[in-house]
Amino acid sequence: MSTQSSTYLLIPGAWHGGWSWWPVAKRLRAAGHRAVAVTLPGLADGDDRAGLRLRDAVDYLVDEVQRRDLTDVTLVGHSWAGYPMTAAAHRLRGRVSTMVYYNAQVPRPDGSMADDNPPEVAAFLRELIESSPDRAIPPTVEFVRQTFMQDVAEDAQRLLAELLTPHPGAYFLDPLDAPDVAALGLPARYILGEHDHALPRPGTEFAARLGLEPVMVPGTHEGMLTHPDAVADAILAA
């Protein structure tokens, strides 16, 4: 576990805001570290999502690190956040020291999140986006129950569904404009929930893109909410 004070920038996945990282952030701070949980453009309640592109999420992360004058930063990304996190890290050379992917997609260069899914899932995502007035995908209770937080109390599932916001479609469709994460030459860790059903590919496959074996922690895709102690400990061990 880390003994020196570090700075962690916690980046939420699709449909999530910075609130999803708050339980983990509190534990990182209690361990003597700085933890900043951000909400990306379009993912706060009431945000205008029309016209947002993946580069807007990347720009936001870069601007936040520079505005706060953060250095020696560990970037921690959940789920889809692997995409903007990876692109931002390439633009923040000298400020980022470690990359942590938690239940996250590890992108391929020039690929989109949609295209890293099986073809039928990619086609379904495009249909949902095209049929939406603002090209955003709304969350549903059924999706939470079956994919994000299965086998968890129904009240908790309903609460999560209420907190989630529609996700800008271009965040899924835009290709990553960045080299392979290996080109960064930074230490990395892949943390995987034992019961994560949300990833489009096995977590072991995403970890292998980093040349790593995943560090296993309890919980579903939403383990940072249901098992924050274990997730915080795994992050601190990076």
Side-chain angles (χ1 to χ4, degrees):
M1 185 174 292
S2 300
T3 56
Q4 296 181 336
S5 179
S6 301
T7 297
Y8 295 90
L9 189 75
L10 306 169
I11 309 164
W15 297 284
H16 293 65
W19 52 264
S20 61
W21 277 116
W22 290 352
V24 169
K26 289 179 180 178
R27 286 154 175 80
L28 297 178
R29 294 182 194 118
H33 305 285
R34 183 176 185 183
V36 178
V38 299
T39 297
L40 296 173
L43 292 170
D45 185 42
D47 274 2
D48 181 5
R49 298 168 184 90
L52 286 171
R53 310 303 300 243
L54 180 59
R55 63 176 176 270
D56 295 307
V58 177
D59 288 346
Y60 178 86
L61 291 176
V62 173
D63 291 345
E64 277 295 288
V65 170
Q66 293 176 339
R67 181 181 67 83
R68 295 172 182 265
D69 196 22
L70 303 180
T71 57
D72 194 21
V73 180
T74 296
L75 296 181
V76 185
H78 174 234
S79 194
W80 160 84
Y83 277 81
M85 179 177 85
T86 299
H90 284 281
R91 292 171 52 188
L92 291 167
R93 289 178 181 272
R95 289 184 180 268
V96 174
S97 59
T98 309
M99 306 283 284
V100 177
Y101 294 82
Y102 169 59
N103 290 341
Q105 283 108 334
V106 177
R108 295 189 184 279
D110 302 319
S112 73
M113 194 285 279
D115 290 334
D116 209 14
N117 281 267
E120 65 276 11
V121 177
F124 179 65
L125 286 172
R126 287 186 167 85
E127 288 174 9
L128 287 177
I129 293 165
E130 292 298 331
S131 64
S132 169
D134 61 356
R135 294 180 60 80
I137 301 177
T140 66
V141 175
E142 280 308 306
F143 186 76
V144 170
R145 288 173 178 162
Q146 296 175 13
T147 306
F148 272 178
M149 193 184 268
Q150 73 281 356
D151 301 326
V152 175
E154 187 175 346
D155 286 350
Q157 294 171 336
R158 285 200 304 266
L159 175 59
L160 178 61
E162 292 285 348
L163 290 169
L164 298 177
T165 59
H167 193 73
Y171 283 0
F172 285 162
L173 300 180
D174 286 351
L176 185 78
D177 185 19
D180 192 284
V181 65
L184 289 165
L186 294 174
R189 170 166 287 225
Y190 194 95
I191 302 170
L192 179 62
E194 293 173 347
H195 301 290
D196 189 319
H197 291 178
L199 292 172
R201 298 176 182 274
T204 51
E205 182 175 330
F206 285 122
R209 293 181 184 181
L210 300 167
L212 299 173
E213 292 290 332
V215 175
M216 304 304 298
V217 293
T220 65
H221 198 63
E222 306 293 326
M224 68 283 193
L225 292 170
T226 59
H227 296 79
D229 290 322
V231 174
D233 286 347
I235 291 170
L236 288 170

